[in-house]
Amino acid sequence: MSATVSVDRIDEKLRPADLDDLCDAADAAIRDGGGFGWVEPPPRDVMERYWRGVLIVPDRFLFVARLDGVIAGSAQLVRPPRNNEAQAHAAQLTTAFVAPWARGHKLARSLTLAVEKEARAMGFGILNLDVRETQQAALAMYESLGFRRWGTHPYYARVGGQFVAGHYYFKDLTAPDEQQDETPR
């Protein structure tokens, strides 16, 4: 029996069970080194406030990936500030992760494609992202989807007392792309 994968954009508040799943998945990803800023998981109440807060921030959109109905990962699409006319053409894909227990089901790919689709629908021509150099599977996945690395920051993050480089990517959403028609089933 194959697993069921789905991606949803959460526009309102999270149901209690979904908030629990999202916190559990984020905690597991952070502990596995796939954090999105956190090096160690924060206390549960901090994590819950963070996710609730994401939903009230203007111009920030939360996407969740479910594996057999359980939230196992997420990503966010962020519009540029309204006063930044010069960069109004570019959105940011950020805070993407998949829990270690759910990897291997193309959830990260499905999340990325859903964010891309939404960014195109909002009229953005460019999608930017950045990721730690230690996230080798994520780097390979983004590159396979047509993201182009344009720079590296050697002091991007500090983990365990050591600096970790980060890579910066962009994707031209106006270019023809064979990947854009893939949708999770």
Side-chain angles (χ1 to χ4, degrees):
M1 188 163 140
S2 66
T4 302
V5 172
S6 64
V7 175
D8 302 307
R9 181 175 138 183
I10 306 294
D11 291 319
E12 299 186 16
K13 73 182 220 179
L14 287 158
R15 297 184 328 229
D18 284 347
L19 180 60
D20 285 342
D21 290 347
L22 187 54
C23 288
D24 290 345
D27 186 275
I30 294 165
R31 288 182 192 284
D32 192 55
F36 43 94
W38 279 304
V39 175
E40 295 292 328
R44 185 61 169 233
D45 64 317
V46 172
M47 180 89 69
E48 289 176 0
R49 282 195 309 271
Y50 170 78
W51 290 116
R52 285 188 195 108
V54 165
L55 294 173
I56 62 172
V57 175
D59 297 326
R60 185 173 285 259
F61 306 93
L62 176 65
F63 292 79
V64 296
R66 297 176 194 270
L67 183 62
D68 292 331
V70 176
I71 293 177
S74 80
Q76 295 173 42
L77 173 64
V78 180
R79 289 192 228 195
R82 293 173 197 255
N83 66 332
N84 190 347
E85 292 179 52
Q87 293 179 348
H89 65 286
Q92 178 85 16
L93 186 158
T94 187
T95 61
F97 73 90
V98 172
W101 53 265
R103 293 181 185 151
H105 296 279
K106 301 193 179 207
L107 288 150
R109 183 180 199 83
S110 296
L111 276 166
T112 303
L113 292 171
V115 169
E116 279 186 34
K117 183 177 179 180
E118 184 72 16
R120 280 187 183 90
M122 291 178 174
F124 291 105
I126 299 292
L127 187 59
N128 294 310
L129 65 88
D130 53 87
V131 64
R132 292 180 199 164
E133 72 176 350
T134 55
Q135 305 301 125
Q136 293 298 313
L139 295 169
M141 188 264 309
Y142 290 130
E143 289 174 8
S144 77
L145 289 174
F147 282 86
R148 293 182 43 207
R149 185 184 307 179
W150 64 266
T152 298
H153 185 321
Y155 304 105
Y156 175 81
R158 191 172 176 100
V159 178
Q162 301 294 317
F163 286 108
V164 176
H167 301 299
Y168 292 86
Y169 286 84
F170 77 94
K171 184 170 183 178
D172 181 351
L173 300 179
T174 66
D177 184 346
E178 65 278 0
Q179 303 294 339
Q180 70 183 333
D181 294 327
E182 282 189 33
T183 54
R185 305 269 184 246

